[in-house]
């Protein structure tokens, strides 16, 4: 499974990256910003990641803005699996998630290796369903 992690905090990136890569089938790439991620996608020839884990607070932007921008793209990038990570408390995070098209979410205070793996797998399944639907609708 190819996973992209967009996280500007080095400590969180290290913890999440270490836990995710304990699975032998996971290949992780870390990006510090959505701009860095989109630039990499534009230059890549080996396809899209299966899922993107994105932090909610990213300097001058948010993970919610990343999700909206990604979902508005007119190509296969719009159907990537996205998991939103946040350090917000559950009530604040719930209001952020309302109406946001993500395939999973995790609170940073409640992270574990098992939860990361489970949510990644579910996000990939959700993205595949979205891709099949998009292919069907494009006809």
């Amino acid at each position: 499974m190819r996973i992209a992690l967009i996280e500007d905090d080095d400590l969180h990136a290290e913890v999440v990256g270490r836990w995710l890569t304990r699975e032998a089938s996971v290949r992780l790439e870390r990006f510090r910003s959505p701009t860095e991620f989109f630039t990499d996608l534009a230059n890549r020839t080996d396809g899209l990641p299966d899922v993107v884990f994105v932090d909610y607070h990213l300097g001058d932007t948010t993970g919610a803005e990343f999700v909206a921008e990604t979902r508005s793209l007119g190509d296969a990038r719009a159907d990537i699996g996205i998991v939103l990570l946040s350090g917000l408390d559950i009530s604040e995070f719930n209001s952020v998630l309302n109406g946001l098209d993500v395939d999973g979410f995790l609170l940073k205070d409640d992270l574990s290796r098992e939860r990361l793996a489970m949510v990644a797998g579910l996000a990939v399944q959700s993205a595949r369903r979205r891709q099949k639907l998009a292919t069907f609708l494009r006809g």
Side-chain angles (χ1 to χ4, degrees):
M1 177 184 323
R2 292 178 51 199
I3 298 176
L5 172 63
I6 304 174
E7 171 62 78
D8 58 349
D9 182 274
D10 290 335
L11 180 59
H12 282 118
E14 183 177 336
V15 169
V16 170
R18 188 174 295 173
W19 281 344
L20 284 170
T21 56
R22 285 198 178 168
E23 299 293 323
S25 63
V26 170
R27 208 170 86 212
L28 180 79
E29 293 180 79
R30 187 236 178 148
F31 303 93
R32 295 183 185 282
S33 71
T35 302
E36 186 180 329
F37 173 74
F38 284 124
T39 299
D40 181 75
L41 279 186
N43 297 321
R44 135 181 332 260
T45 58
D46 62 345
L48 300 171
D50 297 302
V51 65
V52 177
F53 280 80
V54 60
D55 184 25
Y56 179 71
H57 289 289
L58 292 166
D60 60 351
T61 189
T62 68
E65 292 169 326
F66 168 80
V67 172
E69 181 179 350
T70 302
R71 296 296 187 232
S72 71
L73 298 170
D75 56 30
R77 296 174 298 171
D79 300 321
I80 292 174
I82 300 175
V83 175
L84 191 62
L85 299 169
S86 179
L88 296 173
D89 69 45
I90 190 65
S91 60
E92 284 181 276
F93 199 35
N94 189 40
S95 67
V96 167
L97 291 170
N98 190 19
L100 200 57
D101 188 6
V102 295
D103 301 289
F105 64 91
L106 287 167
L107 296 171
K108 288 183 176 180
D109 291 345
D110 202 25
L111 285 180
S112 70
R113 187 179 62 195
E114 293 79 15
R115 283 195 176 122
L116 284 165
M118 178 187 68
V119 170
L122 291 172
V124 169
Q125 290 176 13
S126 177
R128 287 184 181 146
R129 284 190 297 274
R130 183 183 306 102
Q131 292 161 359
K132 285 180 184 178
L133 180 61
T135 301
F136 174 76
L137 293 174
R138 290 183 197 128

